[in-house]
Amino acid sequence: MMHIEVIGTIGEAKAEDMKQKTVIVIDVLRATSTMITVLSRGCSGIIPVETLQEANEWHQDGDLLIGERFCQKIPGFDYGNSPLEFLQADLEGKRVIMTTTNGTRGIQKASNGEHVLAGSLLNGKACAHLAAGFGRDIVIICSGTQDDFSLEDGLCAGQIADELMTLCGETNVTLNDFGIAMRNSFLQVKDDIEHALFHCWNGNRLNDLGFGPDIRYCAQMNITEIVPIMDSTMMVIHRRQPNPTF
Amino acid sequence: MMHIEVIGTIGEAKAEDMKQKTVIVIDVLRATSTMITVLSRGCSGIIPVETLQEANEWHQDGDLLIGERFCQKIPGFDYGNSPLEFLQADLEGKRVIMTTTNGTRGIQKASNGEHVLAGSLLNGKACAHLAAGFGRDIVIICSGTQDDFSLEDGLCAGQIADELMTLCGETNVTLNDFGIAMRNSFLQVKDDIEHALFHCWNGNRLNDLGFGPDIRYCAQMNITEIVPIMDSTMMVIHRRQPNPTF
C-alpha cells in the first residue's frame, strides 16, 4: 500500500518525515514551472539555493544566476523568475544557480528525501508517473507563500494525487485528508485552471505586476515530460521512461 | 467588502487575528454537531472547557458533564460526545459543561472574536446567515485533529463559505486561498457528503469504534436553524432571524 501525504506549506514540512520517500516540491507560480522550462533549454543543471550569499558562493565563471525577490529579477542576476524569459534562451551546457522566495526553500527542505522532484501543472502527469515508478511513499509539498497556503500549489498537488490514484488504483493508495481535499478541489476546477490561477492571491499579485502571460503559461497542464530531479546538489533533467515499472 | 479567512487547524489560528471579527468554529466529528444537538434539547447553555480539571472546577450540583477523550466517554461523566445520545434526552434548563479533544479547544482559541459561533454541516446555512448578518469580517476555524487538518471540517468550511458567497454576492466578498480550495472541495462532493465523511481519517476511526450512526447523523446538511453562540462564558442558542440584515 502506497501512502501519499500532501503538505500545505513549507513550514509544516518536517525534514525527518522525508526519509526514504519520494518528495515532490510544487511552486506553480513560478519557481518549479521556471525550473522545468530552464532545463528544457539544455542547461546542465540547476543549483537551488536559499540566500543571495549562497548564490554568490556557488557562482563560477560561465554560470548563470537566476531568481527573484518580491517577484522581480534580482539586480546583477542574468535572469528573473519568469519562465517566459527562457522559452527562447540558449542555455546549452550552462550551470544555473537559482534562488526564489519560496520554491527553492521547498527543495532544500525536501533534501532528506530518497528522490526529490520538482512538479508543476506543466509536468504533473510525468511527475506522477516517475514518482509511482520509484515505488516508495510520496510526500507532496505545496511551497505556498511565506508560510501561507497558495491555491495554485494545492491544485497541482491535487492533479498529481489524482494521477497517482488513477495510475496505482484507488484501493492501492492511501491519501491524507489534506490530499483528499486538494484532489477534490482540483477535480472541481480542472476544466478552467487558468481562471483559477488568475483568481488566487499570487495570480492577482503577479497579474497586477504585469506577469499575466506567465500565469497563462504556468496554467497549462501536462505539456512536457521533463521532470527535474535532484542529483546530489543539482536539479537535472529526467524524462519519463516509455515503460515505467510500478 | 467582507473578507472570509478559512484556517485549517486550531494551531494555525492566532487569537489576536480574531479581534472584532465573527469567528465560526467547526468540529463536524463531533463536538460542534453535538453542541447543536445538546442545545436543541432545552439546556440553558454549554460551557466549553479544555481540561478535565476545568470541567470539575465549573461543575455545580445539577450541571451535566459531557465529553470525550480518545473518542470515548470520560469516566464519571454523564454523557460522552456522541450527538445521538442526546436526541431523546431531556436537558430542560440544565447547564452543561463540555470538554472534547479538539472542538472545545477551538472555541477557547476563538474567544477574542466579537461573535463566536459553532458550525457544523447540520446548521451550515443558518450559521452563514447569522454571520453575514453581523456584517463583520469572518474567520472560519477548522478544528482538525491534534493539529492535523480534518477533511470533514474543511468540507463544512467550504459549505459555509459557499453559502456566504451566495448570500453576499461573489463580488462583495474576498476569500483566502485556503477558503477557495475548501469551497472547491465541498462543491465537488456535496452530493455525497456521507460517503466523504466515511472515507476520511476521523470517519474511518469513528466507524471502526462503532460510531457509524454518528457519522451518518453528522453528515446531514442544514437540518436545523440552531446556531450556538458564545454569551460571556456559555454557548447559548441562537435561532436565525426571519429577516437578517446584511
Side-chain angles (χ1 to χ4, degrees), chain A residues 73-95:
Chain A
K73 189 179 123 174
I74 298 165
F77 271 38
D78 299 292
Y79 293 91
N81 187 33
S82 165
L84 293 180
E85 292 182 79
F86 299 99
L87 270 186
Q88 308 298 324
D90 176 10
L91 310 177
E92 200 59 40
K94 295 269 189 192
R95 197 174 75 155

Side-chain angles (χ1 to χ4, degrees), chain B residues 106-160:
Chain B
I107 305 257
Q108 298 264 333
K109 193 77 171 265
S111 58
N112 270 356
E114 181 75 17
H115 307 282
V116 180
L117 316 180
S120 81
L121 296 164
L122 305 173
N123 74 347
K125 187 175 223 157
C127 202
H129 271 265
L130 182 60
F134 289 135
R136 294 181 176 270
D137 284 347
I138 295 171
V139 178
I140 302 178
I141 302 178
C142 302
S143 291
T145 307
Q146 309 283 22
D147 286 333
D148 280 331
F149 169 78
S150 292
L151 182 70
E152 70 278 12
D153 296 337
L155 290 172
C156 181
Q159 174 202 19
I160 293 173

Side-chain angles (χ1 to χ4, degrees), chain A residues 100-114:
Chain A
T100 70
T101 316
N102 302 291
T104 52
R105 196 160 66 96
I107 305 257
Q108 298 264 333
K109 193 75 171 266
S111 58
N112 269 356
E114 181 74 18

Side-chain angles (χ1 to χ4, degrees), chain A residues 114-182:
Chain A
E114 181 74 18
H115 308 282
V116 179
L117 315 180
S120 81
L121 296 164
L122 304 173
N123 75 347
K125 188 176 223 158
C127 202
H129 271 266
L130 182 60
F134 289 135
R136 293 181 177 271
D137 285 347
I138 295 170
V139 178
I140 302 177
I141 303 178
C142 302
S143 292
T145 307
Q146 310 283 21
D147 286 333
D148 280 330
F149 169 78
S150 291
L151 182 69
E152 69 279 12
D153 296 338
L155 290 172
C156 181
Q159 174 202 21
I160 293 174
D162 188 57
E163 286 289 350
L164 284 165
M165 303 294 266
T166 305
L167 271 173
C168 304
E170 300 260 347
T171 53
N172 301 317
V173 178
T174 55
L175 182 59
N176 69 332
D177 274 20
F178 190 75
I180 298 173
M182 293 304 105

Side-chain angles (χ1 to χ4, degrees), chain A residues 149-152 155 177-178 180-182 184-185 187-189 199-201, chain B residues 149-152 155 177-178 180-182 184-185 187-189 199-201:
Chain A
F149 169 78
S150 291
L151 182 69
E152 69 279 12
L155 290 172
D177 274 20
F178 190 75
I180 298 173
M182 293 304 105
N184 291 342
S185 174
L187 292 173
Q188 177 66 19
V189 299
H199 291 82
C200 64
W201 195 85
Chain B
F149 169 78
S150 292
L151 182 70
E152 70 278 12
L155 290 172
D177 274 19
F178 190 74
I180 298 173
M182 294 304 106
N184 290 343
S185 174
L187 292 173
Q188 178 66 19
V189 300
H199 290 82
C200 64
W201 195 85

Side-chain angles (χ1 to χ4, degrees), chain A residues 9-233:
Chain A
T9 60
I10 298 170
E12 292 165 65
K14 299 190 187 89
E16 65 269 23
D17 293 345
M18 312 294 160
K19 281 186 186 158
Q20 303 192 309
K21 294 180 184 158
T22 298
V23 186
I24 302 170
V25 179
I26 295 170
D27 187 0
V28 169
L29 294 175
R30 299 169 287 175
T32 53
S33 302
T34 298
M35 274 183 195
I36 292 159
T37 311
V38 165
L39 283 172
S40 77
R41 303 306 301 163
C43 76
S44 61
I46 302 170
I47 301 177
V49 298
E50 273 196 69
T51 64
L52 293 187
Q53 190 184 334
E54 283 175 274
N56 289 318
E57 283 168 8
W58 275 101
H59 184 259
Q60 295 180 353
D61 273 359
D63 290 346
L64 288 177
L65 284 168
I66 75 171
E68 57 74 34
R69 288 296 182 271
F70 309 105
C71 304
Q72 304 288 1
K73 189 179 123 174
I74 298 165
F77 271 38
D78 299 292
Y79 293 91
N81 187 33
S82 165
L84 293 180
E85 292 182 79
F86 299 99
L87 270 186
Q88 308 298 324
D90 176 10
L91 310 177
E92 200 59 40
K94 295 269 189 192
R95 197 174 75 155
V96 172
I97 323 286
M98 179 178 192
T99 180
T100 70
T101 316
N102 302 291
T104 52
R105 196 160 66 96
I107 305 257
Q108 298 264 333
K109 193 75 171 266
S111 58
N112 269 356
E114 181 74 18
H115 308 282
V116 179
L117 315 180
S120 81
L121 296 164
L122 304 173
N123 75 347
K125 188 176 223 158
C127 202
H129 271 266
L130 182 60
F134 289 135
R136 293 181 177 271
D137 285 347
I138 295 170
V139 178
I140 302 177
I141 303 178
C142 302
S143 292
T145 307
Q146 310 283 21
D147 286 333
D148 280 330
F149 169 78
S150 291
L151 182 69
E152 69 279 12
D153 296 338
L155 290 172
C156 181
Q159 174 202 21
I160 293 174
D162 188 57
E163 286 289 350
L164 284 165
M165 303 294 266
T166 305
L167 271 173
C168 304
E170 300 260 347
T171 53
N172 301 317
V173 178
T174 55
L175 182 59
N176 69 332
D177 274 20
F178 190 75
I180 298 173
M182 293 304 105
R183 186 190 187 201
N184 291 342
S185 174
F186 165 71
L187 292 173
Q188 177 66 19
V189 299
K190 69 179 174 158
D191 295 333
D192 200 352
I193 289 282
E194 185 178 302
H195 177 89
L197 259 59
F198 268 95
H199 291 82
C200 64
W201 195 85
N202 268 321
N204 273 321
R205 185 174 62 145
L206 285 167
N207 196 31
D208 286 348
L209 291 168
F211 291 115
D214 274 6
I215 302 172
R216 267 185 288 278
Y217 173 78
C218 294
Q220 300 171 99
M221 279 197 288
N222 306 323
I223 61 165
T224 179
E225 301 287 301
I226 291 176
V227 181
I229 185 167
M230 180 61 77
D231 177 12
S232 158
T233 55

